Amino acid sequence: MTDTTTADLDVRLEKHRVELTGYCYRMLGSSFEAEDAVQDTMVRAWRSYDKFEGRSSLRSWLYRIATNVCLDMLTAGNKRARPMDLTESTPLAQAALSPRPDHTWLEPMPDARILPTVEDPAEAAVAKESVRLAFMAALQQLPPKQRAVLILREVLAWRASEVAELLGTTVASVNSALQRARATLAEREGQHGATAAVSDPLDEDQQKLLDRYVAAFEGYDMTALTALLHEDAIMTMPPFDLWLTGHDDISGFMTTLGSACEGSRLVPVQVNGLPGFAQYKPDPEKGGYTPWAVQVLEISDGRLTGFHFFLDTQRWFPLFDLPLHLEAEADQVEKSV
């Protein structure tokens, strides 16, 4: 290829990066594996472009490559999960912080890296719903090819014939796989946050709920926080397999094992199609605030039904383009004067 052709191909490939990352993320359940898979897809496409005969669109060809990359990565059989997919809820009196390896966990992802801009509000809503933690966890229970079929048919709205061509199979086989995948997801519906309902954009009541949450959390007001929680609210903290349910155990944890969070500051983030916050807790050594967690919130019926703290800040904060230190408000005011 000439330099001009190479540059043109690079631009054409990059136009598909965000949607391909979203696809690979749904397939793999891992932020970093998804980005690795897309990079591998781009490299394979660039190297084999001379053999691309144009019988399908460039987009379809890229999805074929990405699917093969993901299926290869999934041959180990690992299923990413949330804490409540692996263990029973632990009463506060028995709470212990036991970490599991990184590859155990379903990982968070910034919306901007996986949700391309679309004009159709309905299409945008489906895309957001399809990366929410509960749906992502359900996807991980599907065999890899069923997972691919469900995503391509239900999320990306491909025709059965297109999916059959991509997977090198028949329309009947695609329809059968889709039916089995739907049945598996239906069995899980309503489990552990699967009914979370968040408007896009947030409606006025949901925004007020978030504002009250920020005030309660930053003020570490457990009475105010408890008033915002559904009675069956869930709290998780990967990489620890502990998860808590019910506002009594959650508020009790936050005033005992989690008491170091007092005095934290929250910075809004858009994560997994849900509202979230980057949590910074006071830094006793340097002053200001140090990263502690990426929080992902689930809302239903005007209450918080789940909040999930992803604690590996050295991985998550750079992924979200978040600073690794916040100055105290007094320092910020002084520097702005």
Side-chain angles (χ1 to χ4, degrees):
M1 288 186 289
T2 66
D3 290 343
T4 301
T5 304
T6 299
D8 177 61
L9 179 59
D10 286 342
V11 171
R12 293 172 66 200
L13 294 177
E14 281 300 316
K15 288 180 179 178
H16 299 282
R17 182 176 291 275
V18 173
E19 65 170 309
L20 287 172
T21 304
Y23 176 62
C24 293
Y25 175 63
R26 295 178 183 96
M27 285 290 291
L28 301 170
S30 165
S31 316
F32 298 103
E33 286 183 4
E35 296 203 326
D36 288 345
V38 172
Q39 193 57 36
D40 191 1
T41 297
M42 296 297 190
V43 170
R44 292 189 191 190
W46 197 90
R47 287 176 175 170
S48 59
Y49 185 71
D50 289 341
K51 300 176 184 177
F52 174 51
E53 299 174 356
R55 289 180 295 180
S56 63
S57 67
L58 177 65
R59 179 174 182 259
S60 297
W61 184 58
L62 288 172
Y63 269 94
R64 180 192 297 270
I65 298 171
T67 300
N68 289 331
V69 169
C70 290
L71 293 177
D72 286 345
M73 294 174 73
L74 288 167
T75 53
N78 179 53
K79 296 179 180 178
R80 300 252 171 186
R82 303 168 301 168
M84 54 274 207
D85 300 320
L86 303 177
T87 65
E88 294 298 322
S89 176
T90 306
L92 177 60
Q94 301 171 20
L97 298 178
S98 304
R100 296 202 188 191
D102 289 340
H103 63 74
T104 305
W105 303 116
L106 181 65
E107 297 179 344
M109 192 65 150
D111 285 359
R113 290 180 180 259
I114 52 174
L115 297 176
T117 302
V118 294
E119 294 183 2
D120 183 352
E123 185 180 342
V126 168
K128 282 196 169 186
E129 289 170 5
S130 71
V131 293
R132 289 176 183 166
L133 295 176
F135 184 79
M136 288 287 298
L139 281 178
Q140 303 307 300
Q141 300 305 308
L142 300 176
K145 286 195 175 179
Q146 282 187 31
R147 204 180 303 178
V149 168
L150 183 88
I151 297 166
L152 291 165
R153 292 282 284 120
E154 301 280 85
V155 178
L156 301 177
W158 285 38
R159 295 191 297 271
S161 58
E162 294 174 319
V163 177
E165 182 179 356
L166 182 146
L167 294 176
T169 187
T170 64
V171 170
S173 177
V174 167
N175 289 336
S176 176
L178 179 60
Q179 186 175 9
R180 295 195 303 274
R182 283 172 173 167
T184 300
L185 263 60
E187 290 175 3
R188 292 178 57 90
E189 190 172 356
Q191 294 180 10
H192 305 316
T195 57
V198 181
S199 301
D200 181 27
L202 295 179
D203 63 33
E204 184 178 356
D205 288 340
Q206 290 169 346
Q207 187 57 60
K208 286 180 179 178
L209 178 65
L210 289 184
D211 293 343
R212 291 168 63 197
Y213 171 76
V214 171
F217 195 95
E218 291 189 341
Y220 229 61
D221 183 340
M222 292 302 110
T223 300
L225 183 63
T226 296
L228 306 179
L229 300 180
H230 190 277
E231 61 181 8
D232 296 323
I234 288 169
M235 177 180 176
T236 69
M237 293 160 284
F240 301 116
D241 58 16
L242 168 74
W243 64 282
L244 301 166
T245 184
H247 41 61
D248 289 343
D249 277 0
I250 290 172
S251 60
F253 178 88
M254 293 180 70
T255 54
T256 54
L257 293 175
S259 60
C261 290
E262 185 169 359
S264 291
R265 292 292 173 264
L266 301 181
V267 176
V269 294
Q270 297 297 316
V271 51
N272 285 85
L274 291 163
F277 296 94
Q279 178 190 343
Y280 292 82
K281 69 174 185 176
D283 188 336
E285 296 181 3
K286 298 179 181 178
Y289 302 90
T290 190
W292 182 246
V294 169
Q295 301 183 6
V296 184
L297 305 186
E298 293 171 326
I299 300 172
S300 184
D301 297 328
R303 297 286 183 93
L304 295 173
T305 55
F307 53 142
H308 309 284
F309 295 70
F310 292 89
L311 301 180
D312 191 350
T313 55
Q314 294 301 312
R315 300 176 77 213
W316 305 133
F317 277 53
L319 183 71
F320 283 79
D321 296 322
L322 292 163
L324 293 176
H325 183 80
L326 278 187
E327 295 179 345
E329 286 84 344
D331 293 338
Q332 294 173 337
V333 171
E334 186 175 307
K335 288 187 176 183
S336 67
V337 173

